[in-house]
Amino acid sequence: MDYLYTLSGFAVGAIVGLTGVGGGSLMTPLLVLLFGVHPATAVGTDLLYAAMTKAGGTVAHGRKGHIDWAITGRLAAGSIPAAAITIFVLSQLPKGSNTIGTIISHGLGFALMLTAIAILFGRKLRDYAGKHDESPLRQRYLGKITVVVGAILGVLVTISSVGAGALGVAALFFLYPKLSPVKIVGSDVAHAVPLTLVAGLGHWMLGGVDWSLLGALLLGSLPGIWIGSHLSAKVPEHILRRILASMLVLIGTKLVLS
């Protein structure tokens, strides 16, 4: 079975390299629906997988000056405490019951549908935000709003492992439409590392991490990301993103209704 995990990691990594999104939003439902991994284990393993893979991206973006650390700090000020509280709430649920699995499965489905919306309508949201960027009310409370958005992402990511990528980028584009796209992505990647690490370690404490599975996924995904990023210029991105969004809607609907 390990080679199938590695192959799946390679496929998801290639999609991430091609489109820039799809890590948690594809990996976690793939583990749950195709391989029958328990939702809590799939989420916990994917969170640590994300922390490891995005740490390298953070170093690369940081060296190029592509990270707005003030924005990253505001997001983390909301997301890290929210992640810790979410883990605490999950730890208080009855052991041995399927309550945690049900909550995570439904939360995953909801997060996937939100991610699909972010992928499909991200540009329209950015255009709308750009037209209303000068609002005095918006400017006055922008920092606090960013912390609140971070807290929402913290809960979503901890429950589902989805949201640190496409949702985080969409939120930052909406809040900071004048910030360059490369800084939006860099800041989001930098924020995702501590968030996924804290949430992943929390799931590990709850017994929700499979280390051999994590190693198999990394073995396949790292070369997949490298190959996908080199092919990205040759494949129409808008077609891939629409296919990906459609897949996420179908998967999310199945998880919510199951």
Side-chain angles (χ1 to χ4, degrees):
M1 185 65 77
D2 279 356
Y3 75 91
L4 290 178
Y5 290 143
T6 302
L7 185 61
S8 299
F10 177 83
V12 172
I15 293 172
V16 172
L18 283 166
T19 66
V21 296
S25 55
L26 282 178
M27 188 69 81
T28 305
L30 189 68
L31 292 174
V32 173
L33 297 176
L34 186 61
F35 293 108
V37 176
H38 189 278
T41 302
V43 168
T45 304
D46 185 63
L47 284 167
L48 289 181
Y49 161 81
M52 293 178 185
T53 54
K54 292 190 177 185
T58 299
V59 172
H61 281 294
R63 286 178 176 173
K64 295 177 182 178
H66 294 166
I67 298 174
D68 188 317
W69 291 106
I71 293 175
T72 299
R74 291 171 193 163
L75 287 172
S79 67
I80 302 302
I85 292 170
T86 304
I87 288 293
F88 174 76
V89 171
L90 291 176
S91 72
Q92 300 305 302
L93 295 175
K95 300 289 189 274
S97 72
N98 199 37
T99 306
I100 294 179
T102 302
I103 291 173
I104 289 177
S105 183
H106 288 179
L108 175 59
F110 177 68
L112 289 175
M113 287 190 276
L114 283 180
T115 301
I117 292 170
I119 293 171
L120 289 174
F121 301 105
R123 184 167 297 175
K124 292 182 179 180
L125 287 172
R126 294 199 297 272
D127 292 342
Y128 175 85
K131 294 175 183 177
H132 299 82
D133 186 48
E134 302 300 330
S135 166
L137 189 66
R138 176 193 177 95
Q139 293 300 325
R140 185 183 308 168
Y141 295 105
L142 186 58
K144 293 179 180 178
I145 293 171
T146 306
V147 173
V148 172
V149 168
I152 294 170
L153 288 174
V155 174
L156 271 178
V157 170
T158 304
I159 290 177
S160 68
S161 80
V162 176
L167 281 180
V169 167
L172 288 181
F173 267 123
F174 186 77
L175 293 172
Y176 301 92
K178 291 185 178 178
L179 198 64
S180 66
V182 70
K183 281 204 168 187
I184 292 284
V185 173
S187 302
D188 180 68
V189 169
H191 165 245
V193 174
L195 170 56
T196 54
L197 181 60
V198 168
L201 290 175
H203 277 275
W204 173 53
M205 291 171 62
L206 297 176
V209 173
D210 185 326
W211 293 100
S212 62
L213 171 58
L214 175 60
L217 294 176
L218 285 170
L219 189 63
S221 66
L222 295 178
I225 291 171
W226 186 86
I227 291 173
S229 62
H230 282 75
L231 292 175
S232 59
K234 301 177 182 179
V235 182
E237 182 188 352
H238 66 282
I239 294 176
L240 285 170
R241 291 174 79 91
R242 286 173 184 168
I243 293 172
L244 179 60
S246 300
M247 287 171 56
L248 297 184
V249 169
L250 290 173
I251 296 169
T253 302
K254 178 175 175 57
L255 287 166
V256 168
L257 297 179
S258 62

